[in-house]
Amino acid sequence: MNSISIKELDLKYQDAHVLKQLNLNIKKGEFLVLLGSSGCGKSTLLNCIAGLLDISAGQIWINDRNVTWEEPKDRGIGMVFQSYALYPQMTVEKNLSFGLKVKGMAKGEIRERVDRASKILQIEPLLHRKPSELSGGQRQRVAIGRALVRDVEVFLFDEPLSNLDAKLRADLRVEIKRLHQKLKNTMVYVTHDQVEALTLADRIAIMKNGEIQQLSTPADIYHKPCNLFVAQFIGSPSMNLLEGRIVGENFVYQDYRVNLMGYEFINQGDHDENAFLGIRPEHLALEPRDGYVKLISAKIDILEPMGDETIVWFDFMGRKWSVKVHGDHQLKWDEDADIYLDPKKAHLFAKQGEVRL
Ligand SMILES: Nc1ncnc2c1ncn2[C@@H]1O[C@H](COP(=O)(O)OP(=O)(O)OP(=O)(O)O)[C@@H](O)[C@H]1O
Ligand SMILES: [Mg+2]
């Protein structure tokens, strides 16, 4: 059963066509992440679901009800924003209970819900404090609590962690995941952080210019990106690319050729076309391995040690190439190294249209 259905959704501002005929079905209990670079329309889409924007065309259904023209408060959703949007003069407890009180809910019920939410989010000791007396992470937990007390089936998050430092972001990320596992609500979560997307999502929708490029599981998006944009967007550092031609069983570029034995083409049969070969830094090696083929020898340009692993950068055919190696390597800057690749882990994209082959 779908929890949210978006049908042919169009949204235009005066001068900008932001969402274009967008279709999206979100399953009941699913954690769906909207991922894309700044300005691609993520918040706009979320705000349309919440009812905070009037759409130009299309329909939005929540729990099999057409809510396209319903007020935000009637849609049965809870929303958490990047800026915590807490009432500064109220205590945490008041912040949590205020909305329920306005709705005329009985005192006992309000108490129960506030207790439950503050227990889940571990903010019980903070209930008497004001937002100014809380850390960023604590404020964001209160903001989540405010959505939680409403006891809704659908949660919408718009970059709730982006104002926090890296450590806190990682901690709260785990808490949000735990929250979802416990409550099993439908959650739609906007971010431009791919680590958040890959770790939290049941499925990720990758957006570009108001259109969904790929909607799939994190593993699929990482291992089988549907086009060059998705391939380059996910993964850090970005996938390495070569521009050449597929001829028979080989990918050929200038004097080099890579045997493509083992590559799973979407369409079997003969391929003879201009294409990009992509390979992630973690699927290259600087020593021979089973199943790997030698690509080139090149001079090490930069070493980026990151503790458990090191990124080794090369200049190759006018592009920067990166290889991930174990952190305890003995490599030195300016040395020559042989680069090997695993053809089974390579990705091929047509030059024409840049779709996966
Ligand atoms: N009120 C508005 N009037 C006109 N254009 C707007 C308005 N709000 C947003 N836009 C434009 O719509 C596009 C999508 O904006 P949106 O806020 O949805 O992006 P986003 O994906 O959430 O980006 P970010 O990651 O920076 O938050 C942008 O180009 C933005 O400039
Ligand atoms: Mg946004």
Side-chain angles (χ1 to χ4, degrees):
M1 186 176 142
N2 286 325
S3 180
I4 303 173
S5 276
I6 292 155
K7 303 176 183 178
E8 308 279 302
L9 177 64
D10 234 73
L11 187 127
K12 295 185 185 112
Y13 293 114
Q14 301 80 342
D15 51 350
H17 193 173
V18 177
L19 300 177
K20 296 159 190 150
Q21 299 272 309
L22 190 138
N23 288 295
L24 176 62
N25 287 318
I26 302 168
K27 295 176 216 157
K28 204 171 168 61
E30 183 169 33
F31 200 124
L32 185 107
V33 172
L34 298 173
L35 176 67
S37 45
S38 187
C40 72
K42 306 179 295 292
S43 297
T44 303
L45 176 55
L46 205 69
N47 290 334
C48 288
I49 299 172
L52 301 172
L53 286 171
D54 282 340
I55 67 176
S56 312
Q59 292 182 354
I60 296 167
W61 293 64
I62 297 178
N63 291 333
D64 293 326
R65 211 173 71 242
N66 186 345
V67 300
T68 312
W69 302 111
E70 271 185 16
E71 292 291 320
K73 66 177 172 44
D74 301 327
R75 295 189 179 201
I77 49 156
M79 187 142 175
V80 181
F81 298 95
Q82 172 179 2
S83 59
Y84 323 113
L86 300 175
Y87 300 110
Q89 75 284 13
M90 292 184 190
T91 62
V92 168
E93 180 167 21
K94 284 253 172 61
N95 264 286
L96 294 176
S97 59
F98 182 69
L100 305 179
K101 203 165 155 197
V102 168
K103 276 206 328 208
M105 188 178 284
K107 268 204 176 127
E109 169 82 20
I110 295 180
R111 173 114 299 276
E112 246 170 56
R113 288 194 184 191
V114 169
D115 281 353
R116 178 172 160 265
S118 38
K119 197 167 282 164
I120 291 174
L121 295 166
Q122 295 166 16
I123 49 175
E124 290 155 300
L126 311 174
L127 286 173
H128 60 281
R129 291 204 205 162
K130 292 197 173 154
S132 60
E133 297 160 346
L134 302 176
S135 72
Q138 292 168 334
R139 280 180 215 177
Q140 196 52 283
R141 261 185 266 172
V142 177
I144 295 171
R146 234 176 22 178
L148 212 59
V149 292
R150 298 194 48 226
D151 210 12
V152 290
E153 268 182 55
V154 175
F155 277 117
L156 307 178
F157 292 94
D158 194 350
E159 310 220 23
L161 307 184
S162 58
N163 281 345
L164 307 176
D165 68 48
K167 166 84 171 71
L168 208 51
R169 214 157 56 211
D171 291 349
L172 259 185
R173 194 173 74 211
V174 174
E175 282 186 39
I176 288 178
K177 183 141 189 165
R178 197 169 286 136
L179 190 70
H180 180 248
Q181 277 166 2
K182 190 167 185 156
L183 302 177
K184 303 193 166 58
N185 306 45
T186 308
M187 296 193 175
V188 187
Y189 188 105
V190 164
T191 183
H192 55 253
D193 181 330
Q194 52 169 303
V195 176
E196 267 175 38
L198 291 166
T199 52
L200 286 172
D202 293 319
R203 285 191 304 164
I204 302 173
I206 301 222
M207 291 181 68
K208 178 191 175 193
N209 296 333
E211 290 173 323
I212 293 175
Q213 301 281 309
Q214 186 166 4
L215 170 64
S216 205
T217 61
D220 241 14
I221 291 213
Y222 175 81
H223 292 291
K224 296 264 161 68
C226 70
N227 62 30
L228 197 57
F229 174 80
V230 174
Q232 295 256 273
F233 193 80
I234 287 281
S236 177
S238 274
M239 189 182 278
N240 301 296
L241 277 190
L242 270 184
E243 195 178 332
R245 187 169 180 85
I246 303 172
V247 183
E249 291 212 318
N250 294 292
F251 179 84
V252 183
Y253 53 101
Q254 298 190 2
D255 298 336
Y256 301 93
R257 62 183 48 225
V258 179
N259 189 302
L260 295 171
M261 277 273 285
Y263 182 81
E264 289 178 20
F265 280 97
I266 293 178
N267 293 314
Q268 294 300 327
D270 290 343
H271 285 273
D272 184 7
E273 57 196 308
N274 291 331
F276 294 98
L277 179 135
I279 185 91
R280 296 197 183 281
E282 52 272 37
H283 299 144
L284 291 168
L286 300 183
E287 75 284 325
R289 286 190 195 166
D290 256 7
Y292 280 58
V293 294
K294 185 174 165 194
L295 194 61
I296 47 155
S297 298
K299 209 179 271 304
I300 295 174
D301 183 28
I302 298 250
L303 288 165
E304 275 189 304
M306 313 187 58
D308 59 338
E309 61 189 19
T310 293
I311 317 255
V312 189
W313 289 90
F314 298 88
D315 275 321
F316 180 38
M317 313 285 285
R319 291 180 190 260
K320 296 279 178 214
W321 270 52
S322 59
V323 181
K324 265 187 201 170
V325 301
H326 201 278
D328 59 9
H329 64 83
Q330 300 295 324
L331 299 164
K332 292 197 180 62
W333 172 74
D334 222 21
E335 271 179 356
D336 278 327
D338 294 337
I339 305 182
Y340 299 83
L341 80 79
D342 180 355
K344 289 190 293 304
K345 293 278 173 61
H347 306 260
L348 292 167
F349 304 97
K351 175 102 189 290
Q352 186 86 29
E354 301 187 349
V355 294
R356 185 180 191 85
L357 289 169

